[in-house]
Amino acid sequence: MNSTTLLVILAVVVVCAVVFVYSRSGKNKAAEKKADPAEANKYALVAQDILKGIGGKDNVVSASYCTTRLRFEVKNYNQVNEQAVKAAGATGIIRPGKNACQVIVGKNVKSVYDELDKLLK
């Protein structure tokens, strides 16, 4: 075999592999589960209680999330009630700066953040 034939075979193999991986990485719409309203309500309640513990909507300058934490920048750090935040379901709270706090939520942080974002709008 010459080098041109080998390149063509390699190109076909690469294209097939890419198509296979791409087709497997997309969401399968038939297998997609419908959102459980009870779960969504649970996250909404957690978000609502955490927001109260942080001092309410008016005390939040910004909010975001990372792997397991909700990250807040607050106006008045004295309004943050750590016991109330923990009672809402958080496993802990970290204060890396005077007006910053991170609420450790766990693996469901995105679901809680989505509900929190609705409350902050």
Side-chain angles (χ1 to χ4, degrees):
M1 267 192 246
N2 62 25
S3 62
T4 305
T5 306
L6 287 176
L7 285 174
V8 169
I9 292 171
L10 179 62
V12 169
V13 169
V14 168
V15 167
C16 289
V18 168
V19 168
F20 177 76
V21 169
Y22 179 74
S23 68
R24 302 284 290 172
S25 67
K27 288 185 178 177
N28 182 349
K29 298 294 181 187
E32 218 173 272
K33 289 170 55 176
K34 296 205 178 222
D36 182 8
E39 280 292 306
N41 189 44
K42 178 179 96 172
Y43 297 132
L45 292 174
V46 170
Q48 184 178 25
D49 291 345
I50 287 174
L51 185 58
K52 285 179 189 173
I54 294 296
K57 179 179 177 178
D58 293 336
N59 195 37
V60 176
V61 175
S62 66
S64 62
Y65 72 96
C66 65
T67 308
T68 60
R69 300 177 186 175
L70 294 171
R71 297 172 179 260
F72 293 94
E73 182 183 348
V74 295
K75 293 176 186 172
N76 183 346
Y77 70 94
N78 289 321
Q79 290 184 12
V80 177
N81 181 335
E82 291 187 26
Q83 288 79 18
V85 171
K86 288 180 183 177
T91 55
I93 186 167
I94 300 168
R95 294 189 180 207
K98 189 169 184 171
N99 288 42
C101 64
Q102 299 175 5
V103 177
I104 303 169
V105 175
K107 65 181 181 173
N108 296 319
V109 69
K110 176 156 178 18
S111 299
V112 174
Y113 175 79
D114 289 343
E115 295 300 325
L116 177 70
D117 192 43
K118 292 176 190 175
L119 296 170
L120 291 173
K121 290 185 178 180

